[in-house]
Amino acid sequence: MSEKGLLIVVSGPSGVGKGTLCNALVKNIDNLFISISATTRPPRTGEVNGVNYIFMNQENFEEKIEEGQFLEWAKVYNNYYGTPKEFVIEKLKEGKDVILEIDIQGAAQVKKNCPNGVFVFIAPPSLEELRKRIINRGTDNEESINLRLKSAKEEMRASFDYDYVIINDDLDKAVLKLQSVILAERCKVSRNKDKILEIIGD
Amino acid sequence: MSEKGLLIVVSGPSGVGKGTLCNALVKNIDNLFISISATTRPPRTGEVNGVNYIFMNQENFEEKIEEGQFLEWAKVYNNYYGTPKEFVIEKLKEGKDVILEIDIQGAAQVKKNCPNGVFVFIAPPSLEELRKRIINRGTDNEESINLRLKSAKEEMRASFDYDYVIINDDLDKAVLKLQSVILAERCKVSRNKDKILEIIGD
């Protein structure tokens, strides 16, 4: 893909605050959109189709896989999750930037298709702090907390394949850093060659 | 050099507003310093040694060249100009960031010694706008203005060797972009490997 907008891929361990960060950022920056994932898992109470997820049945999802309509997809505990290509491509073509909040496996798939993407890993200040945040969320039992911390450690190792790492020790500072990454990437010479030639007037 | 701070090299045509931009930025960002050039040209009225330039005589300058004490240097119209290494290295070692406001030839010299540097080119929105700014400055006659515009065009071609290009159409926006480049570069994974390993705890 050689689109005009930026594709920003954001990953990080569960509980690190990716969602809060991305939602805060979208309010700060113009022309930035968060891609909505599709899934076959049933909606939970309060979840709205097209807002939290695009909900679809298994047959429909598998059809779209075969048609190559996902930028990335995975099957987790018998449920499919994926990023529909159409929305992302459409926004990028319009020169708008799109954030994908996806896991490290999804990010690796996207990197193959979109080497021009910007890959940002959100890290906790420490694993101890991450444990606290997961406990405070109150949705996990002891076993599940330990599992999440074990995978956090493995995910952290994958951060070396990303372009940027933002340590989320303070929400406002982390938002400013993520915003800076996007503004800086928009200024990359490699993304502005036409503009420079236009100014030179050749 | 494998220092802890960022070395930021800023170039751009005469009249584009590099100095204003860098001075505004230093007020916004902590731990950021502008390197002061050394020169053998005599001080102009109002110029202060150690503030505008480090003024030295030709013999002294040539001695320092031989001792390898400049990051980059050039002779322009019989006067030497150069960036003393000591200040820059000292700040970078302390983990502080340093801006060099130098021309494209100087930047090319620095790139050889400091490939980890961040190279930012400041461009005018158009050559017509650059002409207006040079005229408004009121320091150049018609011939000198035309000469400056001719070299601006050549300098703009060198921008393709830089990492970032910031089009200075609005001072506040340009300051925000330059600030973003610095904050983003500080988040590069390649500059934070030790920190990530520390969090993983291996």
Side-chain angles (χ1 to χ4, degrees):
Chain A
M1 296 201 299
S2 66
E3 315 301 352
K4 291 187 296 175
L6 285 181
L7 181 66
I8 303 123
V9 175
V10 173
S11 308
S14 169
V16 80
K18 298 180 295 292
T20 316
L21 195 57
C22 292
N23 289 329
L25 186 71
V26 168
K27 286 176 195 152
N28 276 7
I29 271 193
D30 285 342
N31 289 323
L32 178 66
F33 297 85
I34 300 182
S35 152
I36 298 163
S37 298
T39 184
T40 57
R41 94 156 157 65
R44 292 178 190 145
T45 318
E47 282 186 342
V48 178
N49 187 30
V51 175
N52 305 91
Y53 281 97
I54 297 157
F55 295 101
M56 48 177 81
N57 63 37
Q58 186 166 330
E59 196 189 330
N60 204 334
F61 202 106
E62 286 172 347
E63 220 174 82
K64 285 182 187 293
I65 292 175
E66 279 190 26
E67 293 167 2
Q69 289 194 31
F70 289 108
L71 266 185
E72 55 84 34
W73 63 271
K75 201 171 188 178
V76 186
Y77 301 123
N78 269 325
N79 286 313
Y80 284 111
Y81 294 84
T83 304
K85 231 180 221 174
E86 201 185 341
F87 173 85
V88 177
I89 306 272
E90 189 189 294
K91 291 294 172 198
L92 294 180
K93 273 193 181 153
E94 290 170 7
K96 285 157 188 165
D97 302 339
V98 181
I99 292 193
L100 308 187
E101 194 198 312
I102 53 179
D103 66 10
I104 56 171
Q105 283 82 11
Q109 283 183 54
V110 173
K111 199 161 192 178
K112 274 188 204 154
N113 301 319
C114 317
N116 284 334
V118 182
F119 293 80
V120 184
F121 193 89
I122 313 297
S126 68
L127 292 178
E128 198 36 56
E129 172 62 27
L130 186 65
R131 175 190 290 275
K132 277 187 205 157
R133 289 186 196 173
I134 297 172
I135 292 172
N136 284 340
R137 220 164 50 169
T139 52
D140 295 82
N141 60 26
E142 182 78 23
E143 192 193 338
S144 156
I145 291 169
N146 288 336
L147 252 173
R148 286 196 193 279
L149 279 167
K150 207 182 146 210
S151 29
K153 224 169 156 171
E154 275 159 35
E155 284 162 327
M156 284 288 296
R157 285 197 190 94
S159 71
F160 290 108
D161 296 328
Y162 284 68
D163 301 310
Y164 300 93
V165 59
I166 292 175
I167 296 169
N168 189 12
D169 45 2
D170 174 291
L171 181 64
D172 288 343
K173 281 185 195 161
V175 170
L176 178 64
K177 285 174 188 172
L178 189 50
Q179 175 185 310
S180 296
V181 164
I182 294 173
L183 294 186
E185 283 284 337
R186 285 179 182 170
C187 293
K188 279 268 178 84
V189 166
S190 53
R191 302 189 196 274
N192 287 281
K193 291 192 170 162
D194 290 349
K195 235 183 239 172
I196 297 170
L197 288 172
E198 200 188 307
I199 295 171
I200 299 175
D202 283 352
Chain B
M1 294 204 298
S2 66
E3 314 302 351
K4 290 187 297 175
L6 285 181
L7 181 66
I8 303 123
V9 175
V10 173
S11 307
S14 171
V16 80
K18 298 182 293 293
T20 316
L21 195 55
C22 292
N23 289 330
L25 187 69
V26 168
K27 286 176 194 152
N28 277 7
I29 271 194
D30 285 341
N31 289 323
L32 179 66
F33 296 85
I34 299 182
S35 151
I36 298 162
S37 297
T39 183
T40 58
R41 91 155 160 68
R44 292 179 191 144
T45 318
E47 282 184 342
V48 178
N49 187 30
V51 175
N52 306 91
Y53 281 97
I54 297 156
F55 296 102
M56 49 177 82
N57 62 37
Q58 186 166 330
E59 197 190 329
N60 204 333
F61 202 106
E62 286 171 348
E63 221 174 82
K64 286 183 186 292
I65 292 175
E66 279 190 27
E67 293 167 2
Q69 289 194 30
F70 289 109
L71 265 185
E72 56 84 35
W73 64 271
K75 201 170 187 178
V76 186
Y77 301 125
N78 269 325
N79 287 313
Y80 284 111
Y81 294 85
T83 303
K85 231 181 222 176
E86 201 186 339
F87 173 86
V88 177
I89 305 274
E90 189 188 295
K91 291 293 173 203
L92 295 180
K93 273 192 182 153
E94 292 171 6
K96 284 157 187 165
D97 302 340
V98 181
I99 293 193
L100 307 187
E101 194 198 312
I102 53 179
D103 67 9
I104 56 171
Q105 283 82 11
Q109 283 182 55
V110 173
K111 199 162 192 178
K112 273 187 204 154
N113 300 320
C114 316
N116 283 335
V118 182
F119 293 80
V120 184
F121 193 90
I122 312 297
S126 68
L127 293 177
E128 199 36 57
E129 173 60 28
L130 186 65
R131 176 190 289 276
K132 277 187 204 157
R133 289 185 196 175
I134 297 172
I135 292 172
N136 283 340
R137 217 164 50 168
T139 52
D140 296 82
N141 60 26
E142 181 79 22
E143 192 193 339
S144 157
I145 291 169
N146 288 335
L147 251 173
R148 285 197 193 279
L149 280 168
K150 207 183 147 210
S151 28
K153 223 170 157 169
E154 275 159 35
E155 285 162 328
M156 284 288 296
R157 286 196 189 94
S159 70
F160 289 109
D161 296 327
Y162 284 67
D163 301 310
Y164 300 93
V165 59
I166 292 175
I167 296 169
N168 189 12
D169 45 2
D170 173 291
L171 181 64
D172 288 342
K173 281 185 193 161
V175 170
L176 179 64
K177 285 174 188 172
L178 190 50
Q179 175 186 310
S180 297
V181 164
I182 294 173
L183 295 185
E185 283 285 337
R186 285 179 181 171
C187 293
K188 279 267 178 85
V189 166
S190 54
R191 302 189 196 274
N192 287 281
K193 290 192 171 162
D194 290 349
K195 235 183 239 173
I196 296 170
L197 288 173
E198 199 187 310
I199 296 170
I200 299 176
D202 284 351

